[in-house]
Amino acid sequence: MRIEVISIICLWAILATCHGYRILGVFTYQGKSHFIMFEQLMKSLTRRDHQVDVISTFPLKKSYPNYTDLVEIRPSKKYINNISYDKMKNMVHLSMPYIISTETGNKLCNHLGHPGIQNLVRNPPQDPPYDLVIIEIFGAHCYAALGHILKVPIVGVSSSVLYPWANDMIANPENLAFAPNNLLPYSQHMNFWERTYNFVHTLYNKWYFNYVTTEQNNIIRKYLGPGIPDIRELENSVAMILTNSHMSLNGIKDSTPALIEVGGLHVQEEGVELPASLEKWMNESTSGFFYFSFGSMVKIESFPSKYLKIFYNSLGKIAPVRVLMKIPNPSELPPNLPKNIHILPWIPQVKVLKHPNIKAFITHGGLMGTQEAIHYGVPLIGIPLFADQFINIETYVRNNIAVGLDLNTLTEEKMDQALHVILHDSKYRDTAREVSARFLDRPQSATDTAVYWIEYIIRHGANALRSPAMNLKWWQVELFDVYAFLLLVALVSVTLLIVALQFVFNLVNRRYEMSQKKKIS
């Protein structure tokens, strides 16, 4: 009996092993906020018995079952807790399409020459071989070439709503009449001029990105050989894109089945430890507390004294309500920190945002952090600094879950007013909880949805969700040829009708003239 049980267990283990797939994840951008999502996605796959190999700039600090850091990319720039106020202000003046296509696009493609990636290309694993490649959809789409070389499907994952140029990769329809691109702060109720600008802005940025990133053709062929397809062809080989969005926040839009919304996938507590001292502090904050953080990159302590003075004075006034503040280098803060403010260089954000005593999250508006707040129904005070943060906060303000502040015009009075409103107007917390309920109300969790569709592509192939629009030219998709044909038919019909009427008129007129001549004669 014992032998039979052991045999059954062994058989089950073999079958479970056979069921798992081997997946390669390639994430070369050095932004920690992006990798938070990708790390959770890859870990989720390992929990379903899949083996994942990862190329990234963020190797795990602790080993994780079935998760292998295959190649570590050393970034040329350090972003984590290293963006000062001055650096941040310089970034504001650079356009997002420029940064994405160059700094996080063409330049990152040079990592294809990394010895570890070169070894992978020349000696891909065969026991077992890869079943799928997952790449980031942002700027460096050159890594889709690895899927071409390994002859496996490619799945893209975007840590934000899709940028304008990414929609064409899977023929995702864009109705620019009501869906502004994610570089614009417009609502889905645009007036005529906003719709016009949305249309022109979208077309221009698609052209700009595609024009600049043609340089990736040279980089790909330099490191992988002359036979690699064009970058646009590689982009169009992507089978599916998982995007960090959800209709409850980003609105109702036209969509192809190859676009899968998994907003909030990164909101996980696994492996996140809450220090006992911090837990004690939060539990003792019986009047409530605000959580204040500008994310994983920007250093609040580097801000000019006029802003720190505003923060000190305004936050000090709300005592006995407390404030928990993320400050990477506390020694750089000016003296006289208000007694109700508790600072730490690192904070387990998810644990803090789910605590029952939290009143609100004072944030720069990064998508990952604000989605975590929405997940737990926490209202926001938004002070956007750069990139998509302005659009994010604009969206949350429209949804009545945030009070927005402009750093350029920030005063102590405006900060006081924002704190007062969040503390005393229940509308924001009530709405945040309502939006949270809609955000979480799904047939499957974001994690289960992502894993299911990844496995679906592996089971059924790269073309399983491919839109027929991918086989058409842009002017065919827009039916311009049909419109032109119908216009031509209408013009020919009108012309023939005019000719026919002229012929009838002339015929009638000629008979009339002949009848008149007969009468006269």
Side-chain angles (χ1 to χ4, degrees):
M1 183 68 179
R2 185 179 176 184
I3 296 175
E4 291 177 356
V5 171
I6 294 174
S7 299
I8 292 172
I9 292 173
C10 291
L11 179 61
W12 177 85
I14 292 170
L15 291 174
T17 304
C18 293
H19 174 71
Y21 299 116
R22 188 169 190 178
I23 298 170
L24 174 66
V26 186
F27 314 109
T28 58
Y29 174 51
Q30 57 267 40
K32 181 65 174 178
S33 59
H34 289 225
F35 190 71
I36 289 172
M37 177 185 180
F38 309 148
E39 178 184 334
Q40 291 303 332
L41 173 62
M42 302 309 281
K43 284 182 175 179
S44 298
L45 289 166
T46 66
R47 292 194 292 270
R48 305 299 173 87
D49 298 321
H50 303 310
Q51 179 182 344
V52 303
D53 295 337
V54 179
I55 298 172
S56 78
T57 57
F58 299 101
L60 299 185
K61 294 179 181 179
K62 296 181 180 179
S63 62
Y64 199 87
N66 293 334
Y67 187 117
T68 301
D69 283 303
L70 190 67
V71 178
E72 178 184 354
I73 301 296
R74 297 193 177 277
S76 57
K77 297 179 181 179
K78 181 186 176 184
Y79 286 162
I80 297 179
N81 296 328
N82 197 43
I83 302 296
S84 66
Y85 174 85
D86 292 333
K87 287 182 180 178
M88 180 270 296
K89 293 301 288 184
N90 289 333
M91 292 171 66
V92 170
H93 300 298
L94 298 174
S95 74
M96 283 296 290
Y98 169 79
I99 294 173
I100 295 172
S101 59
T102 56
E103 295 295 322
T104 67
N106 296 349
K107 289 186 179 181
L108 293 187
C109 290
N110 284 299
H111 291 308
L112 285 168
H114 189 286
I117 296 179
Q118 287 291 303
N119 181 61
L120 173 68
V121 170
R122 294 187 175 91
N123 304 289
Q126 299 298 330
D127 187 26
Y130 287 117
D131 297 289
L132 185 85
V133 171
I134 300 177
I135 66 168
E136 178 176 11
I137 301 301
F138 195 46
H141 302 156
C142 52
Y143 291 98
L146 298 179
H148 171 80
I149 291 172
L150 297 170
K151 295 181 173 57
V152 296
I154 307 158
V155 165
V157 56
S158 173
S159 62
S160 68
V161 177
L162 284 191
Y163 286 94
W165 48 83
N167 286 292
D168 293 340
M169 296 170 65
I170 53 174
N172 190 55
E174 301 168 278
N175 194 324
L176 299 176
F178 69 86
N181 74 57
N182 73 324
L183 295 169
L184 297 175
Y186 299 154
S187 72
Q188 289 195 322
H189 303 285
M190 294 179 283
N191 61 35
F192 171 78
W193 297 112
E194 288 172 336
R195 284 186 286 116
T196 301
Y197 188 72
N198 183 40
F199 174 74
V200 175
H201 187 268
T202 300
L203 291 186
Y204 171 76
N205 282 290
K206 283 186 179 185
W207 170 84
Y208 181 86
F209 179 86
N210 289 337
Y211 173 75
V212 174
T213 54
T214 53
E215 173 62 24
Q216 294 184 24
N217 287 324
N218 297 328
I219 300 171
I220 295 168
R221 288 160 186 165
K222 173 183 177 181
Y223 294 114
L224 302 181
I228 301 297
D230 181 271
I231 183 62
R232 302 284 86 89
E233 186 178 342
L234 290 172
E235 287 177 337
N236 292 342
S237 67
V238 170
M240 176 184 75
I241 297 178
L242 304 172
T243 178
N244 188 25
S245 61
H246 191 260
M247 60 183 178
S248 62
L249 297 177
N250 306 108
I252 307 298
K253 300 176 183 179
D254 297 340
S255 178
T256 175
L259 180 69
I260 310 295
E261 290 194 311
V262 291
L265 179 147
H266 67 287
V267 186
Q268 307 280 345
E269 292 186 64
E270 182 193 39
V272 180
E273 297 180 1
L274 181 63
S277 58
L278 177 57
E279 184 174 21
K280 181 175 182 291
W281 183 91
M282 291 190 295
N283 290 339
E284 292 176 349
S285 300
T286 54
S287 297
F289 69 91
F290 282 81
Y291 171 49
F292 189 172
S293 171
F294 279 165
S296 61
M297 298 194 301
V298 176
K299 298 163 58 178
I300 296 176
E301 61 271 29
S302 70
F303 276 50
S305 59
K306 66 175 182 177
Y307 293 118
L308 295 177
K309 183 179 179 181
I310 290 172
F311 296 150
Y312 276 30
N313 291 343
S314 290
L315 296 173
K317 293 175 189 175
I318 63 174
V321 176
R322 292 171 154 187
V323 180
L324 177 62
M325 212 168 175
K326 176 182 175 290
I327 302 293
N329 297 295
S331 61
E332 295 180 17
L333 279 177
N336 303 317
L337 185 74
K339 293 182 180 179
N340 65 324
I341 298 180
H342 180 52
I343 59 173
L344 289 171
W346 175 85
I347 293 173
Q349 187 159 283
V350 172
K351 296 283 190 181
V352 169
L353 289 170
K354 73 175 294 188
H355 196 278
N357 287 342
I358 191 168
K359 292 290 186 181
F361 180 20
I362 304 173
T363 173
H364 63 314
L367 186 59
M368 298 298 174
T370 54
Q371 281 184 340
E372 289 167 0
I374 290 165
H375 182 102
Y376 294 110
V378 178
L380 310 165
I381 293 178
I383 310 175
L385 305 177
F386 58 89
D388 64 344
Q389 297 159 15
F390 297 93
I391 299 165
N392 295 340
I393 295 300
E394 210 42 64
T395 300
Y396 304 145
V397 168
R398 283 197 299 268
N399 284 320
N400 289 322
I401 58 176
V403 174
L405 294 171
D406 184 346
L407 187 67
N408 295 319
T409 60
L410 185 65
T411 63
E412 187 175 329
E413 291 73 22
K414 290 180 179 179
M415 188 75 186
D416 289 346
Q417 179 64 20
L419 293 168
H420 178 82
V421 167
I422 286 291
L423 277 173
H424 300 290
D425 189 342
S426 61
K427 172 184 71 175
Y428 292 95
R429 177 161 293 271
D430 293 342
T431 308
R433 287 171 176 168
E434 291 171 6
V435 173
S436 175
R438 293 201 302 272
F439 185 64
L440 299 176
D441 191 356
R442 316 180 194 187
Q444 288 182 306
S445 69
T447 296
D448 289 342
T449 300
V451 172
Y452 171 81
W453 286 107
I454 286 173
E455 293 175 342
Y456 184 92
I457 290 297
I458 295 175
R459 289 194 302 266
H460 302 293
N463 293 328
L465 300 176
R466 184 179 176 86
S467 169
M470 294 293 291
N471 301 322
L472 301 175
K473 304 294 185 183
W474 68 267
W475 43 269
Q476 292 174 314
V477 172
E478 300 296 336
L479 292 177
F480 284 168
D481 54 342
V482 175
Y483 296 150
F485 172 74
L486 294 177
L487 179 61
L488 178 62
V489 169
L491 290 174
V492 171
S493 299
V494 171
T495 301
L496 291 176
L497 179 60
I498 292 172
V499 170
L501 289 174
Q502 286 180 335
F503 175 77
V504 172
F505 176 79
N506 291 335
L507 182 62
V508 172
N509 189 52
R510 192 178 302 115
R511 289 183 177 178
Y512 175 78
E513 289 176 352
M514 290 176 62
S515 63
Q516 290 298 316
K517 287 180 180 179
K518 288 181 180 179
K519 288 180 181 180
I520 295 172
S521 62

